[in-house]
Amino acid sequence: MTYLLQPLTTGNLTLKNRLIMPPMATSKAEVDGKVSKEILDYYEEKSKGGYISLIIIEHSFIIQRGKANHNQLSVADKSMLEGLKLIAEVIHKNGSKAVMQINHAGSATNEEITGLYSVGPSGVVNPRRDILPKELTEEEIHQIVLEFTDAALLVKEAGFDGVEIHSAHGYLLNQFFSPLTNKREDQYGGIIQNRIKIHLEVIKSIRKAVGKDFTVLLRLGAADYLEGGTTIEDSKVAAIEFEKAGVDILDISGGFNGFMILENNEQGYFQELSNEIKKIVNIPVILTGGITEPEAAEKLLMDEKADLIGVGRAIYKDSTWAEKTIKSLNS
């Protein structure tokens, strides 16, 4: 049995196989975040032949204050719509499904990038950046929920098959999730149920806005790998609540300061996290992390570490990786 070639259907989304291209920042957008020719050429090249079942577009900022990097894609307003439509069209033309990841950097950005002061759950320095952010008020949190929702609606209008909410790698939602950056004493801080309150508000608001047939994913940084940070036990509580709130697929990652585990070079290095999450939810789980060989992907699926496999850097380096892999498994 070839696990990687098996189709998967969840809700209204049918994938032809279990191979995913995870979101990888390219910094190829225009200065204002609009889609560039370089972006379109990049996704044309990566999706050619439709061998990858699902391509998740790199994290895109929902509001100027939440912009993480120069030349990052934007989903901040309607002026981005026509360019976003072109990305969805080129991927669909080539035979793959397309999802867009939406994000707010929070305190993992700075004024030099955004032109604005940084914000976060609490006035504490983000380990990713030596910046002291302004603590968000509850009113400002409610506004951010609306900004995530507007971005998701824009993604749907652009013709994508789904939207992925980014809560990993030290960005805003991850900052609320982590005790390292969330020192609040109100309803958004303290126990894990409070630290995921903004997540649940975002999920429910998006779900209500886009309808039950539009696929909603969430990328979860399931362990900070820093002393005093989140653990898999926190994430198990969160995952169950996210599923109840309307998430269709959980995309498991880790590392508050990035997406690596120091001194761990095994293929699928977040597999212990994804395995624990997969045991307790009824929705598909994506595993990404250092997977470069088809045999490793097959074993991870066979061992039920995940339902879908994300291959990032191998596809980034070699755009024919998916074609070669699928053809070899079919032969």
Side-chain angles (χ1 to χ4, degrees):
M1 180 184 295
T2 303
Y3 293 90
L4 203 59
L5 295 181
Q6 290 181 356
L8 182 146
T9 297
T10 179
N12 211 38
L13 182 69
T14 296
L15 302 177
K16 67 177 77 172
N17 61 46
R18 304 300 178 97
L19 178 61
I20 305 295
M21 178 174 148
M24 293 179 284
T26 63
S27 297
K28 293 179 183 291
E30 302 290 355
V31 174
D32 60 0
K34 286 185 178 176
V35 173
S36 63
K37 182 180 184 299
E38 288 77 11
I39 284 273
L40 290 174
D41 290 346
Y42 173 82
Y43 285 107
E44 165 76 39
E45 180 179 316
K46 297 304 178 188
S47 62
K48 188 176 180 180
Y51 297 100
I52 303 167
S53 68
L54 173 64
I55 293 177
I56 305 178
I57 306 302
E58 59 206 80
H59 74 149
S60 304
F61 62 92
I62 63 169
I63 195 75
Q64 180 66 22
R65 194 183 300 282
K67 184 177 182 179
N69 301 295
H70 294 296
N71 299 98
Q72 181 186 10
L73 271 173
S74 169
V75 285
D77 61 67
K78 284 273 194 175
S79 69
M80 304 297 158
L81 180 60
E82 294 309 310
L84 297 176
K85 283 182 178 179
L86 294 176
I87 298 180
E89 286 169 5
V90 76
I91 293 171
H92 287 153
K93 171 181 67 74
N94 283 339
S96 297
K97 302 291 187 180
V99 161
M100 191 138 203
Q101 187 185 73
I102 59 176
N103 190 28
H104 189 306
S107 59
T109 188
N110 57 46
E111 189 173 348
E112 192 266 327
I113 292 171
T114 67
L116 302 160
Y117 61 81
S118 298
V119 296
S122 303
V124 298
V125 173
N126 187 319
R128 284 197 66 157
R129 301 241 187 200
D130 189 19
I131 298 289
L132 186 67
K134 174 187 173 293
E135 181 173 309
L136 288 161
T137 66
E138 290 194 14
E139 184 179 347
E140 288 170 331
I141 291 171
H142 299 155
Q143 182 60 35
I144 287 170
V145 171
L146 295 177
E147 289 160 357
F148 267 105
T149 306
D150 287 345
L153 281 169
L154 188 66
V155 169
K156 182 179 181 181
E157 188 177 353
F160 286 86
D161 302 290
V163 65
E164 179 169 89
I165 303 160
H166 198 351
S167 179
H169 311 155
Y171 294 119
L172 183 65
L173 294 184
N174 194 182
Q175 291 159 27
F176 271 92
F177 187 46
S178 175
L180 296 171
T181 42
N182 187 346
K183 308 294 184 183
R184 299 178 73 96
E185 296 180 352
D186 63 1
Q187 61 179 326
Y188 291 97
I191 60 173
I192 181 62
Q193 288 80 2
N194 289 359
R195 301 198 315 270
I196 62 171
K197 181 174 173 58
I198 186 174
H199 300 72
L200 298 178
E201 290 175 350
V202 167
I203 295 162
K204 290 174 182 177
S205 181
I206 287 176
R207 175 54 73 202
K208 182 178 180 181
V210 301
K212 60 183 175 61
D213 293 330
F214 191 65
T215 304
V216 176
L217 299 81
L218 186 141
R219 176 164 256 201
L220 177 62
D224 285 341
Y225 298 114
L226 291 171
E227 185 177 352
T230 53
T231 67
I232 185 58
E233 295 307 316
D234 294 318
S235 293
K236 286 161 72 172
V237 172
I240 290 169
E241 295 305 315
F242 295 163
E243 180 180 6
K244 287 180 188 175
V247 167
D248 297 300
I249 300 174
L250 279 168
D251 183 359
I252 301 303
S253 189
F256 192 93
N257 286 327
F259 40 87
M260 299 283 290
I261 306 175
L262 294 177
E263 300 176 359
N264 185 341
N265 294 316
E266 69 177 331
Q267 296 194 42
Y269 43 71
F270 293 124
Q271 61 182 277
E272 290 185 6
L273 302 178
S274 64
N275 183 47
E276 288 297 307
I277 299 296
K278 181 170 163 50
K279 288 176 184 176
I280 59 168
V281 297
N282 299 302
I283 54 178
V285 171
I286 301 173
L287 168 63
T288 300
I291 302 164
T292 60
E293 298 171 1
E295 297 79 10
E298 280 284 293
K299 188 171 191 312
L300 289 163
L301 290 169
M302 180 179 67
D303 293 344
E304 299 187 343
K305 302 294 186 182
D307 302 286
L308 297 159
I309 297 295
V311 175
R313 274 163 290 176
I315 290 174
Y316 185 83
K317 292 176 182 176
D318 178 6
S319 295
T320 65
W321 189 96
E323 178 181 2
K324 290 184 289 191
T325 294
I326 299 303
K327 285 183 174 178
S328 69
L329 292 173
N330 272 319
S331 62

